[in-house]
Amino acid sequence: EAGVTQSPTHLIKTRGQQATLRCSPISGHTSVYWYQQALGLGLQFLLWYDEGEERNRGNFPPRFSGRQFPNYSSELNVNALELEDSALYLCASSLEVFLGNQPQHFGDGTRLSIL
Amino acid sequence: GNSVTQMEGPVTLSEEAFLTINCTYTATGYPSLFWYVQYPGEGLQLLLKATKADDKGSNKGFEATYRKETTSFHLEKGSVQVSDSAVYFCALSDREAGKSTFGDGTTLTVKP
């Protein structure tokens, strides 16, 4: 079974640009989560998508947005990039949350560097 | 809201030493509790889980018991190996919010 896949592995941008990060969940998983892991900090919850809908959002500005496609894959978009957006962005997927408290399965992340 | 507090690191141990990483939580309802491990350059992997009070999760020699009375889920291993060097995250899942809340992570380094 293929795990969660994220692309690209690394992304280098400059301040003010826009970045798009992609995630493919494990087959059969309908929920996708995005987290930001900045250097020296823990995981900060960004977004939760389930069945194509945004279900919950962390404490991040509106320039962080995303979507989930009919095949359950997901995109995270970050507009007007700032230096502090440099971080590892992790995507996770799980079975339908309402089946119970499901563990999340993580991809290896996209390292976003802002110059 | 929910929160997870775990022991600050870094933790450095010699091979075959006993490991404890403390984790306490605050949550409403009956969350499930998890330990994840992150090896360098990789994403998080589920290490073990417990879904109700007094459950013990175990995997690869690691154990943790869901203690509702002390709101704790401490990670233990009787004899660590160099290959256990990684960052360990304690987490709880909140079915209502649909997300997991993670602790800040504890870096473990095991020296030969």
Side-chain angles (χ1 to χ4, degrees), chain A residues 48-75:
Chain A
W48 168 39
Y49 291 97
D50 184 70
E51 296 287 354
E53 300 284 333
E54 181 181 301
R55 302 293 187 184
N56 201 0
R57 181 183 181 85
N59 189 24
F60 281 84
R63 58 190 186 82
F64 287 83
S65 65
R67 53 180 172 167
Q68 186 179 33
F69 298 99
N71 66 355
Y72 303 112
S73 67
S74 177
E75 265 183 9

PDB file of all heavy atoms in Angstrom, chain A residues 48-75:
ATOM      1  N   TRP A  48      -7.804  21.089   7.922  1.00  0.00           N
ATOM      2  CA  TRP A  48      -8.356  19.737   7.829  1.00  0.00           C
ATOM      3  C   TRP A  48      -9.404  19.734   6.729  1.00  0.00           C
ATOM      4  O   TRP A  48     -10.316  20.553   6.736  1.00  0.00           O
ATOM      5  CB  TRP A  48      -8.960  19.307   9.151  1.00  0.00           C
ATOM      6  CG  TRP A  48      -9.805  18.057   9.084  1.00  0.00           C
ATOM      7  CD1 TRP A  48      -9.560  16.931   8.334  1.00  0.00           C
ATOM      8  CD2 TRP A  48     -11.018  17.808   9.777  1.00  0.00           C
ATOM      9  NE1 TRP A  48     -10.555  16.006   8.538  1.00  0.00           N
ATOM     10  CE2 TRP A  48     -11.453  16.496   9.418  1.00  0.00           C
ATOM     11  CE3 TRP A  48     -11.779  18.539  10.689  1.00  0.00           C
ATOM     12  CZ2 TRP A  48     -12.613  15.928   9.930  1.00  0.00           C
ATOM     13  CZ3 TRP A  48     -12.936  17.966  11.202  1.00  0.00           C
ATOM     14  CH2 TRP A  48     -13.345  16.685  10.820  1.00  0.00           C
ATOM     15  N   TYR A  49      -9.271  18.811   5.783  1.00  0.00           N
ATOM     16  CA  TYR A  49     -10.256  18.612   4.723  1.00  0.00           C
ATOM     17  C   TYR A  49     -10.833  17.209   4.823  1.00  0.00           C
ATOM     18  O   TYR A  49     -10.115  16.241   5.102  1.00  0.00           O
ATOM     19  CB  TYR A  49      -9.627  18.793   3.338  1.00  0.00           C
ATOM     20  CG  TYR A  49      -9.237  20.206   3.059  1.00  0.00           C
ATOM     21  CD1 TYR A  49      -7.931  20.622   3.262  1.00  0.00           C
ATOM     22  CD2 TYR A  49     -10.168  21.131   2.625  1.00  0.00           C
ATOM     23  CE1 TYR A  49      -7.563  21.933   3.031  1.00  0.00           C
ATOM     24  CE2 TYR A  49      -9.814  22.446   2.386  1.00  0.00           C
ATOM     25  CZ  TYR A  49      -8.512  22.836   2.603  1.00  0.00           C
ATOM     26  OH  TYR A  49      -8.155  24.129   2.377  1.00  0.00           O
ATOM     27  N   ASP A  50     -12.124  17.133   4.585  1.00  0.00           N
ATOM     28  CA  ASP A  50     -12.775  15.830   4.539  1.00  0.00           C
ATOM     29  C   ASP A  50     -13.897  15.891   3.511  1.00  0.00           C
ATOM     30  O   ASP A  50     -14.698  16.836   3.526  1.00  0.00           O
ATOM     31  CB  ASP A  50     -13.332  15.445   5.915  1.00  0.00           C
ATOM     32  CG  ASP A  50     -13.930  14.050   5.912  1.00  0.00           C
ATOM     33  OD1 ASP A  50     -13.152  13.090   5.808  1.00  0.00           O
ATOM     34  OD2 ASP A  50     -15.161  13.929   6.000  1.00  0.00           O
ATOM     35  N   GLU A  51     -13.930  14.907   2.637  1.00  0.00           N
ATOM     36  CA  GLU A  51     -14.942  14.857   1.574  1.00  0.00           C
ATOM     37  C   GLU A  51     -15.042  16.169   0.796  1.00  0.00           C
ATOM     38  O   GLU A  51     -16.144  16.623   0.464  1.00  0.00           O
ATOM     39  CB  GLU A  51     -16.305  14.488   2.180  1.00  0.00           C
ATOM     40  CG  GLU A  51     -16.337  13.102   2.779  1.00  0.00           C
ATOM     41  CD  GLU A  51     -16.341  11.995   1.718  1.00  0.00           C
ATOM     42  OE1 GLU A  51     -16.426  12.294   0.513  1.00  0.00           O
ATOM     43  OE2 GLU A  51     -16.225  10.815   2.098  1.00  0.00           O
ATOM     44  N   GLY A  52     -13.899  16.761   0.533  1.00  0.00           N
ATOM     45  CA  GLY A  52     -13.868  17.967  -0.290  1.00  0.00           C
ATOM     46  C   GLY A  52     -14.164  19.272   0.429  1.00  0.00           C
ATOM     47  O   GLY A  52     -14.103  20.342  -0.181  1.00  0.00           O
ATOM     48  N   GLU A  53     -14.487  19.190   1.706  1.00  0.00           N
ATOM     49  CA  GLU A  53     -14.852  20.394   2.452  1.00  0.00           C
ATOM     50  C   GLU A  53     -13.772  20.741   3.475  1.00  0.00           C
ATOM     51  O   GLU A  53     -13.160  19.846   4.072  1.00  0.00           O
ATOM     52  CB  GLU A  53     -16.171  20.166   3.207  1.00  0.00           C
ATOM     53  CG  GLU A  53     -17.345  19.826   2.320  1.00  0.00           C
ATOM     54  CD  GLU A  53     -17.889  21.046   1.599  1.00  0.00           C
ATOM     55  OE1 GLU A  53     -17.737  22.164   2.116  1.00  0.00           O
ATOM     56  OE2 GLU A  53     -18.451  20.864   0.491  1.00  0.00           O
ATOM     57  N   GLU A  54     -13.565  22.018   3.711  1.00  0.00           N
ATOM     58  CA  GLU A  54     -12.683  22.449   4.796  1.00  0.00           C
ATOM     59  C   GLU A  54     -13.469  22.311   6.098  1.00  0.00           C
ATOM     60  O   GLU A  54     -14.490  22.973   6.299  1.00  0.00           O
ATOM     61  CB  GLU A  54     -12.242  23.902   4.603  1.00  0.00           C
ATOM     62  CG  GLU A  54     -11.299  24.381   5.697  1.00  0.00           C
ATOM     63  CD  GLU A  54     -10.873  25.831   5.512  1.00  0.00           C
ATOM     64  OE1 GLU A  54     -10.283  26.144   4.458  1.00  0.00           O
ATOM     65  OE2 GLU A  54     -11.157  26.650   6.427  1.00  0.00           O
ATOM     66  N   ARG A  55     -12.989  21.485   7.007  1.00  0.00           N
ATOM     67  CA  ARG A  55     -13.716  21.179   8.250  1.00  0.00           C
ATOM     68  C   ARG A  55     -13.202  21.979   9.435  1.00  0.00           C
ATOM     69  O   ARG A  55     -13.931  22.239  10.384  1.00  0.00           O
ATOM     70  CB  ARG A  55     -13.588  19.689   8.584  1.00  0.00           C
ATOM     71  CG  ARG A  55     -14.090  18.760   7.508  1.00  0.00           C
ATOM     72  CD  ARG A  55     -15.579  18.851   7.302  1.00  0.00           C
ATOM     73  NE  ARG A  55     -16.045  17.816   6.367  1.00  0.00           N
ATOM     74  CZ  ARG A  55     -17.307  17.723   5.963  1.00  0.00           C
ATOM     75  NH1 ARG A  55     -18.212  18.558   6.405  1.00  0.00           N
ATOM     76  NH2 ARG A  55     -17.629  16.769   5.099  1.00  0.00           N
ATOM     77  N   ASN A  56     -11.927  22.327   9.409  1.00  0.00           N
ATOM     78  CA  ASN A  56     -11.369  23.070  10.524  1.00  0.00           C
ATOM     79  C   ASN A  56     -10.095  23.758  10.055  1.00  0.00           C
ATOM     80  O   ASN A  56      -9.460  23.346   9.074  1.00  0.00           O
ATOM     81  CB  ASN A  56     -11.063  22.144  11.704  1.00  0.00           C
ATOM     82  CG  ASN A  56     -10.961  22.893  13.027  1.00  0.00           C
ATOM     83  OD1 ASN A  56     -11.109  24.106  13.076  1.00  0.00           O
ATOM     84  ND2 ASN A  56     -10.711  22.169  14.098  1.00  0.00           N
ATOM     85  N   ARG A  57      -9.751  24.831  10.759  1.00  0.00           N
ATOM     86  CA  ARG A  57      -8.618  25.645  10.361  1.00  0.00           C
ATOM     87  C   ARG A  57      -7.866  26.076  11.608  1.00  0.00           C
ATOM     88  O   ARG A  57      -8.488  26.421  12.616  1.00  0.00           O
ATOM     89  CB  ARG A  57      -9.136  26.857   9.602  1.00  0.00           C
ATOM     90  CG  ARG A  57      -8.091  27.781   9.114  1.00  0.00           C
ATOM     91  CD  ARG A  57      -8.702  29.005   8.441  1.00  0.00           C
ATOM     92  NE  ARG A  57      -7.623  29.853   7.974  1.00  0.00           N
ATOM     93  CZ  ARG A  57      -7.005  29.706   6.831  1.00  0.00           C
ATOM     94  NH1 ARG A  57      -7.401  28.756   5.991  1.00  0.00           N
ATOM     95  NH2 ARG A  57      -6.028  30.498   6.473  1.00  0.00           N
ATOM     96  N   GLY A  58      -6.555  26.051  11.527  1.00  0.00           N
ATOM     97  CA  GLY A  58      -5.745  26.506  12.649  1.00  0.00           C
ATOM     98  C   GLY A  58      -5.594  28.016  12.642  1.00  0.00           C
ATOM     99  O   GLY A  58      -6.170  28.724  11.814  1.00  0.00           O
ATOM    100  N   ASN A  59      -4.801  28.501  13.559  1.00  0.00           N
ATOM    101  CA  ASN A  59      -4.631  29.939  13.742  1.00  0.00           C
ATOM    102  C   ASN A  59      -3.582  30.481  12.772  1.00  0.00           C
ATOM    103  O   ASN A  59      -2.477  30.858  13.179  1.00  0.00           O
ATOM    104  CB  ASN A  59      -4.232  30.215  15.202  1.00  0.00           C
ATOM    105  CG  ASN A  59      -4.250  31.686  15.516  1.00  0.00           C
ATOM    106  OD1 ASN A  59      -4.945  32.463  14.873  1.00  0.00           O
ATOM    107  ND2 ASN A  59      -3.472  32.078  16.513  1.00  0.00           N
ATOM    108  N   PHE A  60      -3.906  30.507  11.506  1.00  0.00           N
ATOM    109  CA  PHE A  60      -3.032  31.017  10.463  1.00  0.00           C
ATOM    110  C   PHE A  60      -3.784  32.061   9.641  1.00  0.00           C
ATOM    111  O   PHE A  60      -5.002  32.003   9.521  1.00  0.00           O
ATOM    112  CB  PHE A  60      -2.570  29.868   9.534  1.00  0.00           C
ATOM    113  CG  PHE A  60      -1.446  29.045  10.115  1.00  0.00           C
ATOM    114  CD1 PHE A  60      -1.722  28.011  11.001  1.00  0.00           C
ATOM    115  CD2 PHE A  60      -0.130  29.310   9.780  1.00  0.00           C
ATOM    116  CE1 PHE A  60      -0.691  27.254  11.544  1.00  0.00           C
ATOM    117  CE2 PHE A  60       0.911  28.554  10.307  1.00  0.00           C
ATOM    118  CZ  PHE A  60       0.625  27.532  11.188  1.00  0.00           C
ATOM    119  N   PRO A  61      -3.044  33.021   9.054  1.00  0.00           N
ATOM    120  CA  PRO A  61      -3.719  34.064   8.269  1.00  0.00           C
ATOM    121  C   PRO A  61      -4.346  33.504   7.001  1.00  0.00           C
ATOM    122  O   PRO A  61      -3.987  32.401   6.552  1.00  0.00           O
ATOM    123  CB  PRO A  61      -2.575  35.042   7.944  1.00  0.00           C
ATOM    124  CG  PRO A  61      -1.323  34.251   8.082  1.00  0.00           C
ATOM    125  CD  PRO A  61      -1.587  33.222   9.138  1.00  0.00           C
ATOM    126  N   PRO A  62      -5.265  34.267   6.394  1.00  0.00           N
ATOM    127  CA  PRO A  62      -6.006  33.791   5.217  1.00  0.00           C
ATOM    128  C   PRO A  62      -5.128  33.510   4.010  1.00  0.00           C
ATOM    129  O   PRO A  62      -5.574  32.825   3.079  1.00  0.00           O
ATOM    130  CB  PRO A  62      -6.970  34.947   4.930  1.00  0.00           C
ATOM    131  CG  PRO A  62      -7.101  35.681   6.209  1.00  0.00           C
ATOM    132  CD  PRO A  62      -5.773  35.548   6.896  1.00  0.00           C
ATOM    133  N   ARG A  63      -3.898  34.009   3.998  1.00  0.00           N
ATOM    134  CA  ARG A  63      -3.056  33.724   2.839  1.00  0.00           C
ATOM    135  C   ARG A  63      -2.636  32.247   2.783  1.00  0.00           C
ATOM    136  O   ARG A  63      -2.072  31.805   1.789  1.00  0.00           O
ATOM    137  CB  ARG A  63      -1.840  34.663   2.832  1.00  0.00           C
ATOM    138  CG  ARG A  63      -0.980  34.586   4.048  1.00  0.00           C
ATOM    139  CD  ARG A  63       0.061  35.715   4.074  1.00  0.00           C
ATOM    140  NE  ARG A  63       0.981  35.557   5.181  1.00  0.00           N
ATOM    141  CZ  ARG A  63       2.019  34.759   5.153  1.00  0.00           C
ATOM    142  NH1 ARG A  63       2.311  34.105   4.032  1.00  0.00           N
ATOM    143  NH2 ARG A  63       2.804  34.624   6.212  1.00  0.00           N
ATOM    144  N   PHE A  64      -2.906  31.518   3.854  1.00  0.00           N
ATOM    145  CA  PHE A  64      -2.764  30.056   3.831  1.00  0.00           C
ATOM    146  C   PHE A  64      -4.143  29.487   3.467  1.00  0.00           C
ATOM    147  O   PHE A  64      -5.119  29.693   4.194  1.00  0.00           O
ATOM    148  CB  PHE A  64      -2.339  29.512   5.197  1.00  0.00           C
ATOM    149  CG  PHE A  64      -0.911  29.794   5.543  1.00  0.00           C
ATOM    150  CD1 PHE A  64      -0.546  31.011   6.088  1.00  0.00           C
ATOM    151  CD2 PHE A  64       0.066  28.834   5.335  1.00  0.00           C
ATOM    152  CE1 PHE A  64       0.786  31.278   6.420  1.00  0.00           C
ATOM    153  CE2 PHE A  64       1.396  29.084   5.658  1.00  0.00           C
ATOM    154  CZ  PHE A  64       1.756  30.307   6.195  1.00  0.00           C
ATOM    155  N   SER A  65      -4.205  28.798   2.363  1.00  0.00           N
ATOM    156  CA  SER A  65      -5.483  28.237   1.934  1.00  0.00           C
ATOM    157  C   SER A  65      -5.227  26.913   1.242  1.00  0.00           C
ATOM    158  O   SER A  65      -4.077  26.549   0.964  1.00  0.00           O
ATOM    159  CB  SER A  65      -6.219  29.188   0.993  1.00  0.00           C
ATOM    160  OG  SER A  65      -5.482  29.337  -0.215  1.00  0.00           O
ATOM    161  N   GLY A  66      -6.290  26.220   0.946  1.00  0.00           N
ATOM    162  CA  GLY A  66      -6.101  24.946   0.260  1.00  0.00           C
ATOM    163  C   GLY A  66      -7.402  24.436  -0.294  1.00  0.00           C
ATOM    164  O   GLY A  66      -8.432  25.121  -0.274  1.00  0.00           O
ATOM    165  N   ARG A  67      -7.325  23.227  -0.789  1.00  0.00           N
ATOM    166  CA  ARG A  67      -8.539  22.567  -1.259  1.00  0.00           C
ATOM    167  C   ARG A  67      -8.302  21.068  -1.321  1.00  0.00           C
ATOM    168  O   ARG A  67      -7.157  20.606  -1.338  1.00  0.00           O
ATOM    169  CB  ARG A  67      -8.960  23.101  -2.614  1.00  0.00           C
ATOM    170  CG  ARG A  67      -7.889  23.063  -3.682  1.00  0.00           C
ATOM    171  CD  ARG A  67      -8.424  23.629  -4.978  1.00  0.00           C
ATOM    172  NE  ARG A  67      -7.369  23.789  -5.975  1.00  0.00           N
ATOM    173  CZ  ARG A  67      -7.615  24.022  -7.258  1.00  0.00           C
ATOM    174  NH1 ARG A  67      -8.856  24.118  -7.710  1.00  0.00           N
ATOM    175  NH2 ARG A  67      -6.619  24.159  -8.114  1.00  0.00           N
ATOM    176  N   GLN A  68      -9.409  20.338  -1.391  1.00  0.00           N
ATOM    177  CA  GLN A  68      -9.333  18.888  -1.566  1.00  0.00           C
ATOM    178  C   GLN A  68     -10.114  18.539  -2.821  1.00  0.00           C
ATOM    179  O   GLN A  68     -11.242  19.009  -3.018  1.00  0.00           O
ATOM    180  CB  GLN A  68      -9.917  18.154  -0.354  1.00  0.00           C
ATOM    181  CG  GLN A  68      -9.723  16.650  -0.437  1.00  0.00           C
ATOM    182  CD  GLN A  68     -10.271  15.916   0.779  1.00  0.00           C
ATOM    183  OE1 GLN A  68     -11.260  16.334   1.377  1.00  0.00           O
ATOM    184  NE2 GLN A  68      -9.616  14.830   1.149  1.00  0.00           N
ATOM    185  N   PHE A  69      -9.534  17.706  -3.624  1.00  0.00           N
ATOM    186  CA  PHE A  69     -10.112  17.343  -4.915  1.00  0.00           C
ATOM    187  C   PHE A  69     -11.009  16.095  -4.778  1.00  0.00           C
ATOM    188  O   PHE A  69     -10.943  15.395  -3.767  1.00  0.00           O
ATOM    189  CB  PHE A  69      -8.989  17.094  -5.927  1.00  0.00           C
ATOM    190  CG  PHE A  69      -8.145  18.314  -6.175  1.00  0.00           C
ATOM    191  CD1 PHE A  69      -6.922  18.469  -5.525  1.00  0.00           C
ATOM    192  CD2 PHE A  69      -8.568  19.318  -7.020  1.00  0.00           C
ATOM    193  CE1 PHE A  69      -6.138  19.591  -5.730  1.00  0.00           C
ATOM    194  CE2 PHE A  69      -7.797  20.444  -7.231  1.00  0.00           C
ATOM    195  CZ  PHE A  69      -6.587  20.588  -6.583  1.00  0.00           C
ATOM    196  N   PRO A  70     -11.826  15.819  -5.791  1.00  0.00           N
ATOM    197  CA  PRO A  70     -12.711  14.641  -5.719  1.00  0.00           C
ATOM    198  C   PRO A  70     -11.974  13.333  -5.471  1.00  0.00           C
ATOM    199  O   PRO A  70     -12.554  12.386  -4.928  1.00  0.00           O
ATOM    200  CB  PRO A  70     -13.417  14.650  -7.078  1.00  0.00           C
ATOM    201  CG  PRO A  70     -13.431  16.092  -7.479  1.00  0.00           C
ATOM    202  CD  PRO A  70     -12.128  16.650  -6.973  1.00  0.00           C
ATOM    203  N   ASN A  71     -10.708  13.234  -5.871  1.00  0.00           N
ATOM    204  CA  ASN A  71      -9.950  11.998  -5.616  1.00  0.00           C
ATOM    205  C   ASN A  71      -9.277  12.032  -4.229  1.00  0.00           C
ATOM    206  O   ASN A  71      -8.461  11.176  -3.921  1.00  0.00           O
ATOM    207  CB  ASN A  71      -8.917  11.753  -6.706  1.00  0.00           C
ATOM    208  CG  ASN A  71      -7.827  12.806  -6.719  1.00  0.00           C
ATOM    209  OD1 ASN A  71      -7.878  13.791  -5.979  1.00  0.00           O
ATOM    210  ND2 ASN A  71      -6.827  12.615  -7.564  1.00  0.00           N
ATOM    211  N   TYR A  72      -9.628  13.021  -3.429  1.00  0.00           N
ATOM    212  CA  TYR A  72      -9.158  13.209  -2.046  1.00  0.00           C
ATOM    213  C   TYR A  72      -7.746  13.769  -1.937  1.00  0.00           C
ATOM    214  O   TYR A  72      -7.294  14.022  -0.824  1.00  0.00           O
ATOM    215  CB  TYR A  72      -9.292  11.931  -1.207  1.00  0.00           C
ATOM    216  CG  TYR A  72     -10.704  11.416  -1.159  1.00  0.00           C
ATOM    217  CD1 TYR A  72     -11.051  10.223  -1.784  1.00  0.00           C
ATOM    218  CD2 TYR A  72     -11.702  12.151  -0.534  1.00  0.00           C
ATOM    219  CE1 TYR A  72     -12.364   9.760  -1.763  1.00  0.00           C
ATOM    220  CE2 TYR A  72     -13.013  11.705  -0.514  1.00  0.00           C
ATOM    221  CZ  TYR A  72     -13.331  10.508  -1.129  1.00  0.00           C
ATOM    222  OH  TYR A  72     -14.628  10.064  -1.123  1.00  0.00           O
ATOM    223  N   SER A  73      -7.059  13.951  -3.047  1.00  0.00           N
ATOM    224  CA  SER A  73      -5.769  14.632  -2.964  1.00  0.00           C
ATOM    225  C   SER A  73      -6.011  16.084  -2.563  1.00  0.00           C
ATOM    226  O   SER A  73      -7.147  16.579  -2.616  1.00  0.00           O
ATOM    227  CB  SER A  73      -5.017  14.537  -4.282  1.00  0.00           C
ATOM    228  OG  SER A  73      -5.691  15.268  -5.284  1.00  0.00           O
ATOM    229  N   SER A  74      -4.935  16.752  -2.175  1.00  0.00           N
ATOM    230  CA  SER A  74      -5.107  18.098  -1.624  1.00  0.00           C
ATOM    231  C   SER A  74      -3.961  19.005  -2.038  1.00  0.00           C
ATOM    232  O   SER A  74      -2.854  18.544  -2.350  1.00  0.00           O
ATOM    233  CB  SER A  74      -5.186  18.016  -0.099  1.00  0.00           C
ATOM    234  OG  SER A  74      -5.293  19.307   0.487  1.00  0.00           O
ATOM    235  N   GLU A  75      -4.254  20.287  -2.057  1.00  0.00           N
ATOM    236  CA  GLU A  75      -3.256  21.323  -2.308  1.00  0.00           C
ATOM    237  C   GLU A  75      -3.256  22.296  -1.148  1.00  0.00           C
ATOM    238  O   GLU A  75      -4.321  22.617  -0.597  1.00  0.00           O
ATOM    239  CB  GLU A  75      -3.646  22.138  -3.563  1.00  0.00           C
ATOM    240  CG  GLU A  75      -3.023  21.708  -4.835  1.00  0.00           C
ATOM    241  CD  GLU A  75      -3.432  22.620  -5.987  1.00  0.00           C
ATOM    242  OE1 GLU A  75      -4.055  23.674  -5.773  1.00  0.00           O
ATOM    243  OE2 GLU A  75      -3.123  22.219  -7.120  1.00  0.00           O
TER     244      GLU A  75
END
